[in-house]
Amino acid sequence: MSEYQISSENQLERTHQEEIKPLMRSLTKGEFQGHSGVNISYAYLCHPQAIGAVAISTGRIESWVKYQEVMFDLYQNGYSVFIHDHRGQGLSGRMTKNPHMGFVNDFADYVADLKLFYQEVIEPNTQQKPQLLCHSMGCAIGALYVLAHPQDFAQMIVCAPMFGIRPALPNWLANILIGGNLLISRGLGHDASYFLGQKNYQETEFALNELTHSETRYRLFRDEYNLQPEVQLGGVTGHWLRAALKAMDGIEAQASQISIPVWAIQAGADTVVDNKRQSRVLAKVPYCEVQQILGARHEILLEEDQYRRPCLEAILEFLRQATNR
């Protein structure tokens, strides 16, 4: 039996209505002006007897509304929790005429927003040195952040980190395709255009999804996005893909300079990120432990209990190590 309090899938419907939703009503929510004037939405929970503080850096298309169960589990185990929606997604400001387009000029903009969030929201509301929990694209942002600001977070946890994307195209081919996309955008006078095969938000049937084995968690996440359609986001633009490739190359080149402890959780059945490149990057990080959860899909924080529970237990154990130092 785990010593940690972790919500279970077979009781999640009840827990969601009777415990998670009431806790979410006590969230402090707000927004600040991020880099280049984009509004950044955030939320946080301050635990009255906090043993630590956790900031969450979410993945692409994600919003804090998708992380309610994760926030609940962290809070139940004694942590204050801070989360913001990255620019161009969730409840934060969009930078394209079509709000469904996944767009960013440079991942440095995400990092600048996180720094402002740290200074304006996290630091004034906790006495503990916070720890950083990241998922997917949020891991790339987190890695770039700790390279630029190694003093801000005690430790970093990366779940299914986006240090490579599947399918992994050769750089020369990716650059040709992205260059063509950007030329078309400029030629048509658009601020951005979808990359090949990308489109507006569309809900995928559970049976066809590649993100999680958990039908309950998948449905709850989709229900939240249907209740708040303003958080919906579609596919990526050429601009976002160019910025992502540049960010991932930069992380691989500088991985040996990450100076804080890192716990990496790899989803064994991930079809979204490139686990081979991910392993190569993580091997260069000096203070890094890697845990692979066999059979788990990309959304490991929203997976079935058989995959999610060991993931959460590892996260909570790693968090506790820092609080006990």
Side-chain angles (χ1 to χ4, degrees):
M1 183 100 180
S2 173
E3 61 183 294
Y4 299 111
Q5 296 184 57
I6 299 172
S7 52
S8 64
E9 191 172 17
N10 61 6
Q11 297 178 27
L12 188 56
E13 297 279 6
R14 182 198 62 77
T15 304
H16 188 75
Q17 292 301 321
E18 297 180 10
E19 298 181 58
I20 296 177
K21 280 298 185 185
L23 180 63
M24 293 303 111
R25 287 196 283 271
S26 66
L27 278 172
T28 298
K29 292 180 277 188
E31 62 179 34
F32 61 89
Q33 196 168 81
H35 177 69
S36 66
V38 177
N39 285 337
I40 304 298
S41 175
Y42 66 84
Y44 67 88
L45 283 166
C46 283
H47 197 290
Q49 288 90 39
I51 63 170
V54 180
I56 299 175
S57 177
T58 65
R60 202 190 80 80
I61 83 157
E62 295 185 329
S63 167
W64 70 260
V65 303
K66 186 178 176 180
Y67 277 73
Q68 293 177 58
E69 185 186 6
V70 175
M71 296 168 73
F72 173 79
D73 283 339
L74 290 170
Y75 186 87
Q76 291 295 104
N77 286 280
Y79 294 93
S80 295
V81 188
F82 300 85
I83 187 168
H84 74 293
D85 288 354
H86 298 301
R87 62 177 47 229
Q89 64 185 54
L91 295 168
S92 289
R94 308 296 168 99
M95 295 154 286
T96 54
K97 292 175 184 175
N98 179 350
H100 285 256
M101 286 183 170
F103 175 92
V104 74
N105 274 313
D106 194 290
F107 272 48
D109 296 346
Y110 292 136
V111 174
D113 293 337
L114 179 51
K115 182 61 176 178
L116 286 169
F117 183 48
Y118 183 92
Q119 292 173 325
E120 297 184 17
V121 181
I122 300 174
E123 203 169 27
N125 288 290
T126 181
Q127 296 180 344
Q128 292 100 351
K129 190 167 188 176
Q131 304 187 63
L132 185 59
L133 170 61
C134 314
H135 175 253
S136 193
M137 181 188 82
C139 302
I141 297 166
L144 293 170
Y145 187 95
V146 300
L147 284 164
H149 310 287
Q151 72 285 353
D152 286 356
F153 292 104
Q155 301 186 136
M156 178 170 65
I157 299 162
V158 292
C159 299
M162 191 194 81
F163 296 155
I165 300 174
R166 295 184 65 180
L169 296 175
N171 275 351
W172 65 268
L173 178 56
N175 288 328
I176 288 172
L177 294 173
I178 293 167
N181 174 270
L182 298 179
L183 282 173
I184 291 170
S185 296
R186 285 196 290 269
L188 295 175
H190 295 166
D191 50 359
S193 295
Y194 278 127
F195 191 65
L196 293 171
Q198 304 290 294
K199 56 189 176 182
N200 285 354
Y201 176 88
Q202 189 171 20
E203 184 171 335
T204 303
E205 291 179 38
F206 172 74
L208 301 176
N209 101 91
E210 297 184 359
L211 300 176
T212 176
H213 293 93
S214 172
E215 186 167 4
T216 301
R217 291 189 171 105
Y218 186 79
R219 180 170 47 77
L220 286 171
F221 139 56
R222 291 297 184 184
D223 286 349
E224 290 289 348
Y225 275 45
N226 288 330
L227 284 170
Q228 299 188 70
E230 63 270 29
V231 307
Q232 295 174 3
L233 188 69
V236 302
T237 59
H239 289 79
W240 183 91
L241 192 55
R242 178 184 61 179
L245 294 179
K246 175 187 170 186
M248 291 184 293
D249 287 346
I251 291 164
E252 182 163 12
Q254 300 176 79
S256 63
Q257 299 171 39
I258 294 175
S259 57
I260 65 172
V262 176
W263 187 273
I265 301 174
Q266 192 174 70
D270 206 323
T271 59
V272 177
V273 298
D274 179 3
N275 280 356
K276 185 176 179 181
R277 185 178 186 188
Q278 183 189 104
S279 295
R280 190 171 76 225
V281 173
L282 292 170
K284 298 178 181 181
V285 179
Y287 310 104
C288 179
E289 295 286 339
V290 180
Q291 175 183 3
Q292 185 179 81
I293 299 182
L294 296 175
R297 289 178 175 171
H298 183 65
E299 296 281 5
I300 199 164
L301 295 171
L302 271 73
E303 258 287 16
E304 284 183 336
D305 284 357
Q306 62 173 313
Y307 308 114
R308 184 181 188 269
R309 180 167 286 276
C311 174
L312 265 289
E313 288 174 348
I315 288 170
L316 290 165
E317 183 63 27
F318 188 66
L319 292 174
R320 188 166 68 174
Q321 289 175 17
T323 61
N324 288 341
R325 287 192 189 116

